[in-house]
Amino acid sequence: MSIKEKLDPNRIPQHVAVIMDGNGRWAKQRGKDRLEGHHQGAKAARTTVEAAAEIGVKYITLYAFSMENWNRPKDEVAGLMSLLLSSIASQLGDLIKNNIRLKIIGDTSLLPPDVFAQVNQAVQQSQNNTGLTAIIALSYGSRNEIVNAVKNIVADYKSHPQDIEKFTEEDFANYLYTKDIPDPELLVRTSGELRISNFLLWQLSYSELYFTNVLWPDFSKEDFFEAVYNYQQRERRFGKTSQQIANLK
Ligand code: IPE
Ligand code: IPE
Ligand code: MG
């Protein structure tokens, strides 16, 4: 029985977030340029989106470029930006055909104008699609997202500060880039690194974490299904006892 067949269709996570890591090491192992790793990584991203759609995941968030990644060598940043541009351009047709809705989270004002334009065009053209929502975290930093949210909240409540008393966690979530997107039930990180790297700090509060040593360019559909299978073996207690969870079933 394949791992995909072993999945419980009633416990497919709605939202999976992925830290796609290990492109550089994959290239180094092969004596290749880091950008070659990123190219293979872009293929793995496409495969993973397909795998997610196949099993009925509704949202997949892919961490493609962090706020901190702006500090990489100029050549690598430029290479990543042009890869992004060409990947979106070449995949837009398939995206539309496959009913995938593209969204971007992050500070897109920092992107080069051509990348910004291409990204916006793809988002707009796919906005009425009703299948999987693929969210690309681009120029994304979670602390930056939270600080921006606070700034906007302060501006919105300036004229009626007394209303802040009624402000809830749900209200706060509505100020984040991920407004209207449910929190991920599952986070996957490849390449054996055991950290969050400024990704979705608020949204991952109760996510199940899954780490694999597979380097991102090697990440296959099977690897994705394996992560979901592993997730399905977990007991999500949300602070309650195991007994309480059992009684709910
Ligand atoms: C992930 O791979 C891609 C990005 C962060 C853009 P890395 O480039 O971080 O690969 P390693 O960690 O150096 O192997
Ligand atoms: C995190 O990977 C960002 C992305 C996958 C886009 P990094 O490779 O940049 O993370 P650190 O710096 O090693 O934590
Ligand atoms: Mg890395």
Side-chain angles (χ1 to χ4, degrees):
M1 210 190 209
S2 76
I3 186 94
K4 188 180 172 188
E5 286 162 347
K6 282 203 283 183
L7 293 176
D8 175 353
N10 298 314
R11 285 199 61 199
I12 299 293
Q14 246 199 119
H15 183 178
V16 181
V18 186
I19 303 179
M20 312 186 286
D21 200 7
N23 295 352
R25 277 161 284 169
W26 182 93
K28 194 169 184 199
Q29 281 175 4
R30 288 161 180 78
K32 292 183 171 162
D33 192 77
R34 291 180 60 85
L35 276 176
E36 180 60 30
H38 296 316
H39 272 273
Q40 293 303 320
K43 289 185 190 166
R46 192 198 156 104
T47 311
T48 302
V49 168
E50 277 170 22
E54 273 176 33
I55 58 168
V57 169
K58 293 274 176 284
Y59 301 85
I60 183 155
T61 300
L62 301 173
Y63 203 4
F65 193 87
S66 73
M67 216 55 171
E68 288 73 21
N69 289 149
W70 289 114
N71 298 319
R72 290 197 178 188
K74 260 201 175 105
D75 284 1
E76 183 167 346
V77 171
L80 278 164
M81 290 299 139
S82 80
L83 174 63
L84 208 79
L85 194 69
S86 59
S87 305
I88 296 185
S90 68
Q91 290 182 29
L92 184 57
D94 279 352
L95 222 67
I96 307 285
K97 197 175 76 196
N98 296 326
N99 199 20
I100 294 171
R101 182 167 65 138
L102 188 73
K103 273 182 175 277
I104 305 290
I105 57 171
D107 186 352
T108 50
S109 71
L110 299 174
L111 296 172
D114 54 345
V115 178
F116 181 81
Q118 176 70 64
V119 157
N120 273 339
Q121 195 199 349
V123 169
Q124 270 169 25
Q125 287 191 17
S126 69
Q127 68 182 349
N128 295 323
N129 288 351
T130 54
L132 174 75
T133 300
I135 302 145
I136 313 292
L138 195 56
S139 187
Y140 176 87
S142 193
R143 288 185 169 183
N144 164 274
E145 177 183 36
I146 290 169
V147 169
N148 277 333
V150 172
K151 285 182 184 165
N152 289 328
I153 294 163
V154 170
D156 285 356
Y157 280 79
K158 220 172 195 155
S159 61
H160 47 102
Q162 64 285 2
D163 287 350
I164 207 78
E165 285 299 324
K166 295 192 281 278
F167 195 80
T168 64
E169 292 180 8
E170 288 72 28
D171 293 332
F172 189 81
N174 281 330
Y175 278 88
L176 299 173
Y177 293 129
T178 48
K179 175 181 166 18
D180 298 332
I181 299 169
D183 289 339
E185 291 96 329
L186 171 64
L187 169 80
V188 175
R189 183 170 189 153
T190 58
S191 87
E193 303 297 352
L194 307 179
R195 56 178 172 267
I196 301 296
S197 303
N198 202 13
F199 190 43
L200 302 175
L201 299 179
W202 171 279
Q203 298 88 339
L204 293 175
S205 291
Y206 249 114
S207 306
E208 297 296 327
L209 309 182
Y210 177 84
F211 298 98
T212 167
N213 288 329
V214 174
L215 299 175
W216 180 251
D218 290 328
F219 194 76
S220 65
K221 286 190 179 181
E222 290 302 294
D223 292 321
F224 183 78
F225 299 144
E226 179 78 45
V228 174
Y229 183 74
N230 185 291
Y231 160 83
Q232 292 190 335
Q233 313 312 307
R234 313 263 182 110
E235 181 179 60
R236 305 192 76 202
R237 290 192 286 277
F238 299 101
K240 295 183 177 167
T241 65
S242 211
Q243 178 88 55
Q244 285 175 296
I245 303 298
N247 289 344
L248 282 176
K249 283 183 184 154

PDB file of all heavy atoms in Angstrom, residues 20-25 34-35 38 64-78 80 189 195 197:
ATOM      1  N   MET A  20      11.028  25.653   2.926  1.00  0.00           N
ATOM      2  CA  MET A  20      11.738  24.925   1.859  1.00  0.00           C
ATOM      3  C   MET A  20      13.233  25.213   2.024  1.00  0.00           C
ATOM      4  O   MET A  20      13.731  26.219   1.541  1.00  0.00           O
ATOM      5  CB  MET A  20      11.264  25.428   0.494  1.00  0.00           C
ATOM      6  CG  MET A  20       9.746  25.520   0.343  1.00  0.00           C
ATOM      7  SD  MET A  20       9.224  25.959  -1.331  1.00  0.00           S
ATOM      8  CE  MET A  20       9.636  27.695  -1.413  1.00  0.00           C
ATOM      9  N   ASP A  21      13.946  24.328   2.715  1.00  0.00           N
ATOM     10  CA  ASP A  21      15.341  24.622   3.041  1.00  0.00           C
ATOM     11  C   ASP A  21      16.279  23.534   2.514  1.00  0.00           C
ATOM     12  O   ASP A  21      15.894  22.364   2.436  1.00  0.00           O
ATOM     13  CB  ASP A  21      15.483  24.764   4.570  1.00  0.00           C
ATOM     14  CG  ASP A  21      16.730  25.521   4.976  1.00  0.00           C
ATOM     15  OD1 ASP A  21      17.434  26.068   4.095  1.00  0.00           O
ATOM     16  OD2 ASP A  21      17.017  25.567   6.193  1.00  0.00           O
ATOM     17  N   GLY A  22      17.501  23.955   2.173  1.00  0.00           N
ATOM     18  CA  GLY A  22      18.532  22.995   1.782  1.00  0.00           C
ATOM     19  C   GLY A  22      18.958  23.066   0.323  1.00  0.00           C
ATOM     20  O   GLY A  22      19.731  22.221  -0.136  1.00  0.00           O
ATOM     21  N   ASN A  23      18.499  24.083  -0.386  1.00  0.00           N
ATOM     22  CA  ASN A  23      18.885  24.212  -1.806  1.00  0.00           C
ATOM     23  C   ASN A  23      20.398  24.371  -1.965  1.00  0.00           C
ATOM     24  O   ASN A  23      21.002  23.779  -2.864  1.00  0.00           O
ATOM     25  CB  ASN A  23      18.221  25.440  -2.438  1.00  0.00           C
ATOM     26  CG  ASN A  23      16.708  25.326  -2.488  1.00  0.00           C
ATOM     27  OD1 ASN A  23      16.155  24.280  -2.190  1.00  0.00           O
ATOM     28  ND2 ASN A  23      16.049  26.409  -2.868  1.00  0.00           N
ATOM     29  N   GLY A  24      20.983  25.197  -1.103  1.00  0.00           N
ATOM     30  CA  GLY A  24      22.416  25.480  -1.201  1.00  0.00           C
ATOM     31  C   GLY A  24      23.243  24.226  -0.951  1.00  0.00           C
ATOM     32  O   GLY A  24      24.176  23.917  -1.699  1.00  0.00           O
ATOM     33  N   ARG A  25      22.857  23.480   0.093  1.00  0.00           N
ATOM     34  CA  ARG A  25      23.613  22.256   0.416  1.00  0.00           C
ATOM     35  C   ARG A  25      23.448  21.197  -0.668  1.00  0.00           C
ATOM     36  O   ARG A  25      24.382  20.475  -1.001  1.00  0.00           O
ATOM     37  CB  ARG A  25      23.155  21.698   1.780  1.00  0.00           C
ATOM     38  CG  ARG A  25      23.849  22.383   2.948  1.00  0.00           C
ATOM     39  CD  ARG A  25      23.100  22.185   4.233  1.00  0.00           C
ATOM     40  NE  ARG A  25      21.923  23.046   4.285  1.00  0.00           N
ATOM     41  CZ  ARG A  25      20.966  22.936   5.195  1.00  0.00           C
ATOM     42  NH1 ARG A  25      21.019  21.973   6.094  1.00  0.00           N
ATOM     43  NH2 ARG A  25      19.953  23.779   5.192  1.00  0.00           N
ATOM     44  N   ARG A  34      24.989  27.494  -6.180  1.00  0.00           N
ATOM     45  CA  ARG A  34      23.801  27.523  -5.311  1.00  0.00           C
ATOM     46  C   ARG A  34      22.516  27.760  -6.107  1.00  0.00           C
ATOM     47  O   ARG A  34      21.468  27.222  -5.778  1.00  0.00           O
ATOM     48  CB  ARG A  34      23.934  28.632  -4.251  1.00  0.00           C
ATOM     49  CG  ARG A  34      25.011  28.370  -3.203  1.00  0.00           C
ATOM     50  CD  ARG A  34      25.065  29.536  -2.202  1.00  0.00           C
ATOM     51  NE  ARG A  34      23.795  29.720  -1.516  1.00  0.00           N
ATOM     52  CZ  ARG A  34      23.420  29.047  -0.428  1.00  0.00           C
ATOM     53  NH1 ARG A  34      24.230  28.162   0.115  1.00  0.00           N
ATOM     54  NH2 ARG A  34      22.249  29.272   0.120  1.00  0.00           N
ATOM     55  N   LEU A  35      22.648  28.565  -7.172  1.00  0.00           N
ATOM     56  CA  LEU A  35      21.436  28.877  -7.954  1.00  0.00           C
ATOM     57  C   LEU A  35      20.847  27.642  -8.620  1.00  0.00           C
ATOM     58  O   LEU A  35      19.640  27.549  -8.818  1.00  0.00           O
ATOM     59  CB  LEU A  35      21.730  29.953  -8.998  1.00  0.00           C
ATOM     60  CG  LEU A  35      21.658  31.384  -8.463  1.00  0.00           C
ATOM     61  CD1 LEU A  35      22.064  32.384  -9.534  1.00  0.00           C
ATOM     62  CD2 LEU A  35      20.262  31.718  -7.931  1.00  0.00           C
ATOM     63  N   HIS A  38      18.564  26.288  -6.256  1.00  0.00           N
ATOM     64  CA  HIS A  38      17.296  27.026  -6.219  1.00  0.00           C
ATOM     65  C   HIS A  38      16.401  26.633  -7.409  1.00  0.00           C
ATOM     66  O   HIS A  38      15.186  26.541  -7.266  1.00  0.00           O
ATOM     67  CB  HIS A  38      17.542  28.542  -6.207  1.00  0.00           C
ATOM     68  CG  HIS A  38      18.257  29.016  -4.967  1.00  0.00           C
ATOM     69  ND1 HIS A  38      17.911  28.580  -3.710  1.00  0.00           N
ATOM     70  CD2 HIS A  38      19.293  29.881  -4.792  1.00  0.00           C
ATOM     71  CE1 HIS A  38      18.709  29.160  -2.812  1.00  0.00           C
ATOM     72  NE2 HIS A  38      19.557  29.943  -3.448  1.00  0.00           N
ATOM     73  N   ALA A  64       9.423  31.163   0.565  1.00  0.00           N
ATOM     74  CA  ALA A  64      10.314  31.231  -0.599  1.00  0.00           C
ATOM     75  C   ALA A  64      11.475  32.201  -0.385  1.00  0.00           C
ATOM     76  O   ALA A  64      12.570  31.994  -0.919  1.00  0.00           O
ATOM     77  CB  ALA A  64       9.525  31.662  -1.830  1.00  0.00           C
ATOM     78  N   PHE A  65      11.223  33.255   0.386  1.00  0.00           N
ATOM     79  CA  PHE A  65      12.277  34.264   0.571  1.00  0.00           C
ATOM     80  C   PHE A  65      11.962  35.056   1.840  1.00  0.00           C
ATOM     81  O   PHE A  65      10.904  35.676   1.943  1.00  0.00           O
ATOM     82  CB  PHE A  65      12.322  35.195  -0.647  1.00  0.00           C
ATOM     83  CG  PHE A  65      13.546  36.057  -0.712  1.00  0.00           C
ATOM     84  CD1 PHE A  65      14.715  35.612  -1.310  1.00  0.00           C
ATOM     85  CD2 PHE A  65      13.537  37.339  -0.150  1.00  0.00           C
ATOM     86  CE1 PHE A  65      15.854  36.411  -1.362  1.00  0.00           C
ATOM     87  CE2 PHE A  65      14.671  38.146  -0.197  1.00  0.00           C
ATOM     88  CZ  PHE A  65      15.832  37.680  -0.809  1.00  0.00           C
ATOM     89  N   SER A  66      12.882  35.004   2.789  1.00  0.00           N
ATOM     90  CA  SER A  66      12.625  35.666   4.067  1.00  0.00           C
ATOM     91  C   SER A  66      13.165  37.088   4.055  1.00  0.00           C
ATOM     92  O   SER A  66      13.985  37.453   3.211  1.00  0.00           O
ATOM     93  CB  SER A  66      13.279  34.878   5.211  1.00  0.00           C
ATOM     94  OG  SER A  66      14.685  35.045   5.168  1.00  0.00           O
ATOM     95  N   MET A  67      12.707  37.858   5.007  1.00  0.00           N
ATOM     96  CA  MET A  67      13.232  39.208   5.217  1.00  0.00           C
ATOM     97  C   MET A  67      14.759  39.148   5.377  1.00  0.00           C
ATOM     98  O   MET A  67      15.484  39.960   4.826  1.00  0.00           O
ATOM     99  CB  MET A  67      12.592  39.729   6.509  1.00  0.00           C
ATOM    100  CG  MET A  67      12.264  41.145   6.520  1.00  0.00           C
ATOM    101  SD  MET A  67      11.219  41.580   5.139  1.00  0.00           S
ATOM    102  CE  MET A  67      10.839  43.182   5.628  1.00  0.00           C
ATOM    103  N   GLU A  68      15.208  38.135   6.123  1.00  0.00           N
ATOM    104  CA  GLU A  68      16.649  37.989   6.395  1.00  0.00           C
ATOM    105  C   GLU A  68      17.405  37.582   5.128  1.00  0.00           C
ATOM    106  O   GLU A  68      18.597  37.854   5.010  1.00  0.00           O
ATOM    107  CB  GLU A  68      16.864  36.938   7.494  1.00  0.00           C
ATOM    108  CG  GLU A  68      16.449  37.373   8.890  1.00  0.00           C
ATOM    109  CD  GLU A  68      14.944  37.439   9.110  1.00  0.00           C
ATOM    110  OE1 GLU A  68      14.188  36.779   8.348  1.00  0.00           O
ATOM    111  OE2 GLU A  68      14.504  38.163  10.027  1.00  0.00           O
ATOM    112  N   ASN A  69      16.725  36.952   4.178  1.00  0.00           N
ATOM    113  CA  ASN A  69      17.405  36.535   2.945  1.00  0.00           C
ATOM    114  C   ASN A  69      17.868  37.714   2.090  1.00  0.00           C
ATOM    115  O   ASN A  69      18.735  37.556   1.230  1.00  0.00           O
ATOM    116  CB  ASN A  69      16.514  35.606   2.101  1.00  0.00           C
ATOM    117  CG  ASN A  69      16.320  34.227   2.691  1.00  0.00           C
ATOM    118  OD1 ASN A  69      15.279  33.600   2.505  1.00  0.00           O
ATOM    119  ND2 ASN A  69      17.308  33.714   3.406  1.00  0.00           N
ATOM    120  N   TRP A  70      17.326  38.917   2.352  1.00  0.00           N
ATOM    121  CA  TRP A  70      17.829  40.105   1.637  1.00  0.00           C
ATOM    122  C   TRP A  70      19.307  40.331   1.945  1.00  0.00           C
ATOM    123  O   TRP A  70      20.001  41.021   1.196  1.00  0.00           O
ATOM    124  CB  TRP A  70      17.037  41.367   2.022  1.00  0.00           C
ATOM    125  CG  TRP A  70      15.631  41.414   1.485  1.00  0.00           C
ATOM    126  CD1 TRP A  70      14.478  41.382   2.214  1.00  0.00           C
ATOM    127  CD2 TRP A  70      15.225  41.535   0.108  1.00  0.00           C
ATOM    128  NE1 TRP A  70      13.380  41.458   1.378  1.00  0.00           N
ATOM    129  CE2 TRP A  70      13.798  41.553   0.085  1.00  0.00           C
ATOM    130  CE3 TRP A  70      15.919  41.610  -1.110  1.00  0.00           C
ATOM    131  CZ2 TRP A  70      13.065  41.656  -1.100  1.00  0.00           C
ATOM    132  CZ3 TRP A  70      15.177  41.706  -2.285  1.00  0.00           C
ATOM    133  CH2 TRP A  70      13.777  41.729  -2.276  1.00  0.00           C
ATOM    134  N   ASN A  71      19.775  39.750   3.044  1.00  0.00           N
ATOM    135  CA  ASN A  71      21.188  39.944   3.423  1.00  0.00           C
ATOM    136  C   ASN A  71      22.129  38.941   2.749  1.00  0.00           C
ATOM    137  O   ASN A  71      23.325  38.921   3.036  1.00  0.00           O
ATOM    138  CB  ASN A  71      21.342  39.805   4.946  1.00  0.00           C
ATOM    139  CG  ASN A  71      20.552  40.864   5.682  1.00  0.00           C
ATOM    140  OD1 ASN A  71      20.525  42.022   5.260  1.00  0.00           O
ATOM    141  ND2 ASN A  71      19.876  40.480   6.755  1.00  0.00           N
ATOM    142  N   ARG A  72      21.636  38.107   1.884  1.00  0.00           N
ATOM    143  CA  ARG A  72      22.523  37.173   1.164  1.00  0.00           C
ATOM    144  C   ARG A  72      23.340  37.940   0.115  1.00  0.00           C
ATOM    145  O   ARG A  72      23.007  39.084  -0.215  1.00  0.00           O
ATOM    146  CB  ARG A  72      21.689  36.081   0.492  1.00  0.00           C
ATOM    147  CG  ARG A  72      21.098  35.141   1.523  1.00  0.00           C
ATOM    148  CD  ARG A  72      20.643  33.853   0.911  1.00  0.00           C
ATOM    149  NE  ARG A  72      20.133  32.985   1.967  1.00  0.00           N
ATOM    150  CZ  ARG A  72      19.794  31.720   1.800  1.00  0.00           C
ATOM    151  NH1 ARG A  72      19.907  31.161   0.609  1.00  0.00           N
ATOM    152  NH2 ARG A  72      19.351  30.993   2.809  1.00  0.00           N
ATOM    153  N   PRO A  73      24.389  37.293  -0.437  1.00  0.00           N
ATOM    154  CA  PRO A  73      25.180  37.983  -1.461  1.00  0.00           C
ATOM    155  C   PRO A  73      24.279  38.486  -2.598  1.00  0.00           C
ATOM    156  O   PRO A  73      23.309  37.817  -2.957  1.00  0.00           O
ATOM    157  CB  PRO A  73      26.132  36.894  -1.969  1.00  0.00           C
ATOM    158  CG  PRO A  73      26.220  35.911  -0.846  1.00  0.00           C
ATOM    159  CD  PRO A  73      24.906  35.953  -0.138  1.00  0.00           C
ATOM    160  N   LYS A  74      24.635  39.668  -3.103  1.00  0.00           N
ATOM    161  CA  LYS A  74      23.835  40.331  -4.158  1.00  0.00           C
ATOM    162  C   LYS A  74      23.476  39.407  -5.312  1.00  0.00           C
ATOM    163  O   LYS A  74      22.350  39.398  -5.794  1.00  0.00           O
ATOM    164  CB  LYS A  74      24.655  41.499  -4.724  1.00  0.00           C
ATOM    165  CG  LYS A  74      24.280  42.851  -4.175  1.00  0.00           C
ATOM    166  CD  LYS A  74      24.756  43.924  -5.157  1.00  0.00           C
ATOM    167  CE  LYS A  74      24.299  45.297  -4.733  1.00  0.00           C
ATOM    168  NZ  LYS A  74      25.357  46.115  -4.155  1.00  0.00           N
ATOM    169  N   ASP A  75      24.463  38.632  -5.763  1.00  0.00           N
ATOM    170  CA  ASP A  75      24.242  37.745  -6.917  1.00  0.00           C
ATOM    171  C   ASP A  75      23.163  36.713  -6.632  1.00  0.00           C
ATOM    172  O   ASP A  75      22.356  36.385  -7.503  1.00  0.00           O
ATOM    173  CB  ASP A  75      25.523  36.957  -7.245  1.00  0.00           C
ATOM    174  CG  ASP A  75      26.523  37.840  -7.944  1.00  0.00           C
ATOM    175  OD1 ASP A  75      26.209  39.031  -8.143  1.00  0.00           O
ATOM    176  OD2 ASP A  75      27.625  37.333  -8.256  1.00  0.00           O
ATOM    177  N   GLU A  76      23.208  36.179  -5.417  1.00  0.00           N
ATOM    178  CA  GLU A  76      22.221  35.151  -5.075  1.00  0.00           C
ATOM    179  C   GLU A  76      20.823  35.769  -4.996  1.00  0.00           C
ATOM    180  O   GLU A  76      19.843  35.182  -5.489  1.00  0.00           O
ATOM    181  CB  GLU A  76      22.576  34.451  -3.762  1.00  0.00           C
ATOM    182  CG  GLU A  76      21.585  33.334  -3.449  1.00  0.00           C
ATOM    183  CD  GLU A  76      22.036  32.382  -2.345  1.00  0.00           C
ATOM    184  OE1 GLU A  76      23.222  32.398  -1.963  1.00  0.00           O
ATOM    185  OE2 GLU A  76      21.181  31.604  -1.866  1.00  0.00           O
ATOM    186  N   VAL A  77      20.715  36.955  -4.398  1.00  0.00           N
ATOM    187  CA  VAL A  77      19.404  37.622  -4.303  1.00  0.00           C
ATOM    188  C   VAL A  77      18.882  37.896  -5.713  1.00  0.00           C
ATOM    189  O   VAL A  77      17.723  37.588  -6.035  1.00  0.00           O
ATOM    190  CB  VAL A  77      19.508  38.932  -3.479  1.00  0.00           C
ATOM    191  CG1 VAL A  77      18.211  39.721  -3.565  1.00  0.00           C
ATOM    192  CG2 VAL A  77      19.841  38.616  -2.021  1.00  0.00           C
ATOM    193  N   ALA A  78      19.750  38.410  -6.585  1.00  0.00           N
ATOM    194  CA  ALA A  78      19.326  38.714  -7.960  1.00  0.00           C
ATOM    195  C   ALA A  78      18.894  37.436  -8.679  1.00  0.00           C
ATOM    196  O   ALA A  78      17.878  37.408  -9.386  1.00  0.00           O
ATOM    197  CB  ALA A  78      20.461  39.395  -8.717  1.00  0.00           C
ATOM    198  N   LEU A  80      17.737  34.695  -7.329  1.00  0.00           N
ATOM    199  CA  LEU A  80      16.458  34.229  -6.776  1.00  0.00           C
ATOM    200  C   LEU A  80      15.298  35.055  -7.322  1.00  0.00           C
ATOM    201  O   LEU A  80      14.236  34.516  -7.635  1.00  0.00           O
ATOM    202  CB  LEU A  80      16.488  34.318  -5.245  1.00  0.00           C
ATOM    203  CG  LEU A  80      17.185  33.143  -4.550  1.00  0.00           C
ATOM    204  CD1 LEU A  80      17.511  33.488  -3.099  1.00  0.00           C
ATOM    205  CD2 LEU A  80      16.322  31.889  -4.596  1.00  0.00           C
ATOM    206  N   ARG A 189       9.522  21.358   7.723  1.00  0.00           N
ATOM    207  CA  ARG A 189      10.787  21.991   7.348  1.00  0.00           C
ATOM    208  C   ARG A 189      11.746  20.918   6.872  1.00  0.00           C
ATOM    209  O   ARG A 189      11.943  19.901   7.542  1.00  0.00           O
ATOM    210  CB  ARG A 189      11.421  22.763   8.504  1.00  0.00           C
ATOM    211  CG  ARG A 189      12.715  23.481   8.052  1.00  0.00           C
ATOM    212  CD  ARG A 189      13.286  24.456   9.048  1.00  0.00           C
ATOM    213  NE  ARG A 189      14.371  25.232   8.428  1.00  0.00           N
ATOM    214  CZ  ARG A 189      14.739  26.445   8.777  1.00  0.00           C
ATOM    215  NH1 ARG A 189      14.127  27.054   9.767  1.00  0.00           N
ATOM    216  NH2 ARG A 189      15.729  27.069   8.146  1.00  0.00           N
ATOM    217  N   ARG A 195      14.487  24.829  13.367  1.00  0.00           N
ATOM    218  CA  ARG A 195      14.105  26.170  13.810  1.00  0.00           C
ATOM    219  C   ARG A 195      13.015  26.738  12.908  1.00  0.00           C
ATOM    220  O   ARG A 195      12.725  26.193  11.850  1.00  0.00           O
ATOM    221  CB  ARG A 195      15.320  27.110  13.873  1.00  0.00           C
ATOM    222  CG  ARG A 195      16.095  27.219  12.568  1.00  0.00           C
ATOM    223  CD  ARG A 195      17.277  28.207  12.687  1.00  0.00           C
ATOM    224  NE  ARG A 195      18.108  28.166  11.502  1.00  0.00           N
ATOM    225  CZ  ARG A 195      19.190  27.397  11.347  1.00  0.00           C
ATOM    226  NH1 ARG A 195      19.593  26.625  12.329  1.00  0.00           N
ATOM    227  NH2 ARG A 195      19.879  27.405  10.226  1.00  0.00           N
ATOM    228  N   SER A 197      12.882  30.222  12.033  1.00  0.00           N
ATOM    229  CA  SER A 197      13.430  31.266  11.151  1.00  0.00           C
ATOM    230  C   SER A 197      12.423  32.380  10.801  1.00  0.00           C
ATOM    231  O   SER A 197      12.243  32.719   9.625  1.00  0.00           O
ATOM    232  CB  SER A 197      13.991  30.651   9.864  1.00  0.00           C
ATOM    233  OG  SER A 197      14.977  29.684  10.159  1.00  0.00           O
TER     234      SER A 197
END
